[in-house]
Amino acid sequence: MLTKVSSVANLGLKAIEIEVEVNVAEKGFPGFGIVGLASKAVDEAKERVKTAIINSDIEFPTAKITVNLAPADIPKEGACYDLPMAVGILTSCGEINLPKNKSFFYGELSLDGSLRHTRGVFLLAFLAKEQGAKDIFVPRLCANEASVVEGLNVYPVDNLRQLIKHLRGEKYIEPLTPVKSEELLELLTPEFDFSEILGQESAKRALEIAAAGGHNIFMMGPPGSGKTMLSRALPGILPCLTEKESLEVTKIYSVTGNIPAGGSLIRQRPFRSPHHTTSLVGLIGGGSNPHPGEVSMAHRGVLFLDEFPEFLRGALEALRQPLEDGFVTISRAAGSIQFPAQFMLVAAANPCPCGYLGDEKKECKCNIHQIMNYQKKLSGPILDRIDLHLNVPSVDVNKLMLNSNQVNNCEKSPAIRERVAKARKVQQERFAKIKGVHSNSYMKNRHLNEFAQLTPAANLLLKQAVNKFALSARTYFRLIKVSRTIADLASSLDINDGHVAEALQYRIRTGE
């Protein structure tokens, strides 16, 4: 008997319907074969499915079983086809009946018949809704991912025995109560509050500008000056994810298996901090079956690269496309896959190998060749794509010895976040009708004439700076975007020379 069960395959961030065709033939030599461009993990499902059915107190058929995963030209990976295969076999044997409505089955089986946490359920839910299906059967550990998709009955399955009773009509599984996604969103609890960072007022101001406009920032300074602390405090001044942004991030985390068991939507802006030994594929994404890298995991959030020059040169150069376009395109012989990568890059580095070049307190021990070789690790094109360049000097000891009253008077992250959120709201309204632009940093050059008009004095100042410091055309346009953000923080419609002057100080310091 032939049975067809609906499931899905995940290609990048796109889910494709897979028809699991199961044929149980009484004639022929007993066996269990899987066809349809299945990977090793899929092929091993034969032993998992067989043992799970036996341990669910059902006799496994001694017949020729053929499973076809259609369409056959799409690669199938992972153990998510265990459940639909088991359901197909049990239906073909007359043990259960499939639901009358179109339903999707998805999940990895343990040998005892229980269902394990399986990645990609969030994408499955969206595809099921698009296909007009009403019911999806998924492991309970990841069922919450699908509960935010309206119009679906999400059945959380603990084990195969429970599903058999449900499909026989003996004991029904209660579907999950739908959850509104906006009710789940919350702010990220930062590791540090801005009030805990003593001194470094200029750096805190630069981070506020970066947060308000979604700009990339590069901090250079000696060890212990507070670069890492500043970076880890940044999430505390970022606004809450919007519902749309949360759905985008959750798709990435679902397909990579980074949503914990029982988890649902990603509620907070990502903060990713990969080690400097991270490979090109780990940072950008890729592999034989392309998967998202750290730049995509940081989508709508922050990518913090500490010890920036120590990353592989190839990995840093590969950052050019996502920094410019907001996405990563990975091409293979079978086709291309695009992953979103709209993130804030926060990079930190020492000025030289020993870290004390230009420091007022400690003498640099590096020779000129060591300094030049170290600084050459960062190419001009990469630095040109970073909006804010900041020198972070050592903090004076007198600023560290503040009393409790003085510390309490330091501005806290929530107060800064209010200003950032207000500026972001202005930008959302400004770019509401422009696809792909959600903040000033992602404005295209063609948008500047409409949304970033400079006063005559500001225009003159910027022109003089470009000529004097030989700034590139890319830097010129990025300076205007940063000036637009500074004006937004000041609730100013016009960009005046004061806004441009502040933007310039974050580029000229590093010797542009």
Side-chain angles (χ1 to χ4, degrees):
M1 179 179 175
L2 175 64
T3 301
K4 297 181 179 181
V5 183
S6 295
S7 191
V8 301
N10 296 319
L11 295 180
L13 298 183
K14 181 182 180 183
I16 298 174
E17 182 175 359
I18 298 297
E19 197 168 57
V20 181
E21 300 176 325
V22 181
N23 188 69
V24 178
E26 295 181 1
K27 296 182 179 180
F29 191 78
F32 192 164
I34 300 175
V35 296
L37 209 57
S39 68
K40 180 67 174 175
V42 178
D43 190 61
E44 290 174 346
K46 292 181 288 189
E47 298 302 324
R48 292 193 298 271
V49 171
K50 180 180 179 179
T51 308
I53 290 176
I54 293 172
N55 287 332
S56 297
D57 300 325
I58 293 188
E59 185 177 351
F60 193 80
T62 54
K64 181 175 177 59
I65 301 173
T66 304
V67 176
N68 178 41
L69 305 176
D73 60 339
I74 295 176
K76 321 297 188 308
E77 291 204 353
C80 59
Y81 305 106
D82 291 4
L83 185 60
M85 286 185 200
V87 170
I89 292 171
L90 293 171
T91 303
S92 294
C93 295
E95 295 288 345
I96 59 175
N97 294 312
L98 287 175
K100 294 181 180 180
N101 297 325
K102 183 173 183 178
S103 304
F104 281 79
F105 295 83
Y106 190 86
E108 177 185 349
L109 285 169
S110 297
L111 295 183
D112 62 358
S114 61
L115 282 153
R116 296 180 180 274
H117 182 272
T118 311
R119 65 185 185 180
V121 169
F122 192 69
L123 276 70
L124 159 67
F126 275 95
L127 177 70
K129 185 177 180 179
E130 290 175 4
Q131 297 293 330
K134 293 295 182 182
D135 304 330
I136 63 171
F137 296 84
V138 296
R140 181 178 294 276
L141 291 174
C142 48
N144 284 340
E145 294 181 31
S147 64
V148 296
V149 180
E150 298 178 358
L152 282 180
N153 295 319
V154 182
Y155 292 94
V157 184
D158 290 311
N159 52 62
L160 188 57
R161 188 181 288 107
Q162 180 193 33
L163 179 60
I164 292 170
K165 290 180 179 179
H166 173 87
L167 295 176
R168 285 176 175 176
E170 297 174 0
K171 186 177 181 181
Y172 288 98
I173 302 171
E174 289 294 327
L176 291 180
T177 303
V179 178
K180 292 185 178 181
S181 55
E182 63 267 20
E183 295 176 357
L184 298 174
L185 302 179
E186 61 185 34
L187 291 168
L188 177 63
T189 303
E191 190 173 347
F192 300 103
D193 190 278
F194 264 53
S195 61
E196 299 175 41
I197 304 172
L198 305 179
Q200 305 299 10
E201 299 304 322
S202 177
K204 289 193 277 188
R205 169 62 178 173
L207 285 173
E208 180 181 342
I209 296 170
H215 301 287
N216 305 314
I217 185 169
F218 177 44
M219 294 183 287
M220 181 177 286
S225 58
K227 302 185 297 296
T228 301
M229 190 175 184
L230 284 161
S231 302
R232 294 192 178 277
L234 176 61
I237 65 172
L238 292 174
C240 187
L241 280 171
T242 64
E243 183 179 356
K244 180 183 177 182
E245 290 173 339
S246 178
L247 294 175
E248 292 174 4
V249 176
T250 304
K251 283 184 178 181
I252 299 170
Y253 276 65
S254 177
V255 79
T256 56
N258 281 284
I259 297 180
S264 183
L265 277 184
I266 298 298
R267 309 175 184 184
Q268 303 168 335
R269 291 193 180 274
F271 182 88
R272 305 292 297 184
S273 180
H275 193 261
H276 63 261
T277 57
T278 301
S279 67
L280 170 61
V281 172
L283 187 63
I284 304 300
S288 55
N289 180 31
H291 56 82
E294 289 290 338
V295 295
S296 296
M297 297 294 288
H299 180 61
R300 301 298 191 185
V302 177
L303 178 66
F304 174 47
L305 301 184
D306 202 4
E307 304 298 340
F308 196 41
E310 300 300 336
F311 281 80
L312 294 174
R313 179 66 180 261
L316 292 183
E317 294 304 314
L319 287 172
R320 293 188 189 187
Q321 185 199 12
L323 286 176
E324 197 74 23
D325 302 330
F327 59 83
V328 172
T329 302
I330 299 172
S331 298
R332 295 291 181 267
S336 297
I337 292 179
Q338 190 176 99
F339 294 116
Q342 290 191 349
F343 58 90
M344 280 179 59
L345 173 64
V346 180
N350 297 323
C352 66
C354 78
Y356 294 104
L357 177 66
D359 188 69
E360 297 179 356
K361 299 178 181 179
K362 289 190 177 182
E363 183 181 355
C364 175
K365 298 180 180 179
C366 306
N367 60 48
I368 187 64
H369 297 291
Q370 289 175 317
I371 295 171
M372 290 180 64
N373 289 335
Y374 185 79
Q375 294 182 350
K376 280 182 180 178
K377 291 181 179 181
L378 300 177
S379 69
I382 287 295
L383 294 177
D384 207 35
R385 286 169 167 80
I386 299 178
D387 303 335
L388 305 173
H389 293 239
L390 187 67
N391 289 328
V392 184
S394 299
V395 182
D396 191 301
V397 67
N398 293 323
K399 293 182 178 180
L400 299 176
M401 300 177 67
L402 299 179
N403 59 45
S404 58
N405 290 331
Q406 290 172 311
V407 172
N408 291 333
N409 289 331
C410 293
E411 191 172 35
K412 293 180 169 55
S413 293
I416 302 173
R417 185 170 59 238
E418 286 184 14
R419 295 196 296 270
V420 170
K422 185 179 178 180
R424 284 280 184 115
K425 185 177 181 181
V426 170
Q427 294 166 52
Q428 288 174 3
E429 294 173 355
R430 176 185 296 146
F431 306 124
K433 297 181 180 180
I434 302 177
K435 185 179 180 181
V437 180
H438 60 90
S439 63
N440 290 332
S441 63
Y442 283 97
M443 274 194 292
K444 303 300 181 184
N445 295 344
R446 64 179 180 273
H447 300 142
L448 297 181
N449 287 335
E450 182 179 355
F451 301 116
Q453 286 286 347
L454 277 67
T455 63
N459 204 16
L460 177 61
L461 176 61
L462 184 57
K463 181 179 179 181
Q464 291 173 340
V466 169
N467 290 332
K468 182 176 180 179
F469 297 101
L471 302 180
S472 68
R474 181 185 287 113
T475 300
Y476 169 79
F477 288 119
R478 287 184 177 272
L479 281 167
I480 296 177
K481 295 175 187 179
V482 174
S483 301
R484 176 69 273 175
T485 300
I486 295 170
D488 288 341
L489 284 169
S491 301
S492 174
L493 294 175
D494 298 323
I495 302 175
N496 60 42
D497 53 346
H499 303 143
V500 172
E502 185 174 5
L504 282 169
Q505 73 172 332
Y506 299 120
R507 294 303 299 237
I508 309 304
R509 285 183 174 189
T510 55
E512 286 276 13

